[in-house]
Amino acid sequence: MSKLIIRQMEEGDLSQVCAIEEETFSMPWSRKSFQETISYYHTLFLVAELEGKIAGYAGCYQSLEEAEITNIAVKRELRGQGIGRKLLMELMRLGKERGAFAYTLEVRVSNQAAIHLYESLGFISFGIRKNFYERPREDAMIMWRHWEV
Ligand SMILES: CC(C)(COP(=O)(O)OP(=O)(O)OC[C@H]1O[C@@H](n2cnc3c(N)ncnc32)[C@H](O)[C@@H]1OP(=O)(O)O)[C@@H](O)C(=O)NCCC(=O)NCCS
């Protein structure tokens, strides 16, 4: 694969980010949500850039030593090439530098690709949130990853 650059999400990325968000999720975040979120000091949002185009993104909210991963998506035609893994590893590396030692997220119980990815990075299931998602209605698996400090 040509060189993949992982860097902070900027306002100029939002058109491409929103296009991926809309092709991926049934209840996509709006441009305004991304715009506001990346301006907060306690968030960390990254993009993966391939040949000058946005290939994917991931983001989290940090609260003291914990961070919640709220977004991750890779452009459909570029999935399965390691981009999602690189985004998450960089998100957690930078988050750790900022003092986040535990990561949590929610994932649809049917989303095997994402669950495999999270498990391969050390996330463990900590329970189910019933009917958490809509369109379609589905349970969420709550996952955590802790660092030994
Ligand atoms: C989840 C997602 C971000 C993964 O990104 P990706 O770039 O395709 O993932 P990677 O290529 O880095 O794969 C990493 C690991 O994920 C797992 N994985 C990826 N695609 C998979 C698939 N189709 N089936 C099963 N496992 C899969 C594997 O464990 C893989 O590790 P391996 O390459 O050693 O086998 C991507 O599939 C996506 O955008 N999905 C739609 C959005 C989404 O579901 N986001 C998560 C919401 S909680």
Side-chain angles (χ1 to χ4, degrees):
M1 193 194 291
S2 351
K3 200 164 164 6
L4 187 77
I5 297 165
I6 310 265
R7 59 164 176 80
Q8 294 243 11
M9 190 183 287
E10 296 164 4
E11 193 142 348
D13 302 322
L14 292 186
S15 299
Q16 292 181 71
V17 165
C18 289
I20 300 173
E21 177 81 5
E22 276 158 29
E23 75 162 24
T24 303
F25 297 108
S26 61
M27 296 177 73
W29 274 30
S30 65
R31 185 187 176 96
K32 192 158 173 274
S33 301
F34 279 107
Q35 210 167 15
E36 285 176 2
T37 302
I38 63 175
S39 71
Y40 299 148
Y41 75 95
H42 63 294
T43 61
L44 180 57
F45 272 67
L46 303 177
V47 292
E49 188 184 313
L50 190 64
E51 291 166 0
K53 297 225 170 78
I54 304 302
Y57 53 91
C60 66
Y61 280 66
Q62 186 176 349
S63 170
L64 302 174
E65 293 188 349
E66 289 179 9
E68 181 181 1
I69 298 173
T70 50
N71 306 66
I72 175 161
V74 170
K75 218 172 182 172
R76 204 180 297 276
E77 61 270 26
L78 295 172
R79 290 181 194 160
Q81 299 179 44
I83 297 174
R85 181 187 300 280
K86 288 194 183 111
L87 273 165
L88 272 184
M89 286 173 67
E90 186 63 2
L91 192 71
M92 292 192 289
R93 190 188 71 78
L94 290 172
K96 197 177 171 195
E97 277 183 10
R98 295 179 174 198
F101 290 96
Y103 288 82
T104 186
L105 54 84
E106 279 124 9
V107 55
R108 285 183 183 268
V109 291
S110 67
N111 193 346
Q112 283 306 313
I115 292 171
H116 280 163
L117 171 59
Y118 302 145
E119 284 177 343
S120 75
L121 289 171
F123 283 83
I124 293 169
S125 168
F126 265 73
I128 299 293
R129 207 160 265 159
K130 287 300 267 181
N131 295 323
F132 181 73
Y133 292 105
E134 292 172 37
R135 295 190 213 168
R137 184 162 289 257
E138 189 175 348
D139 298 346
M141 182 188 287
I142 304 161
M143 301 186 86
W144 278 92
R145 183 202 200 277
H146 293 269
W147 249 290
E148 299 79 32
V149 193

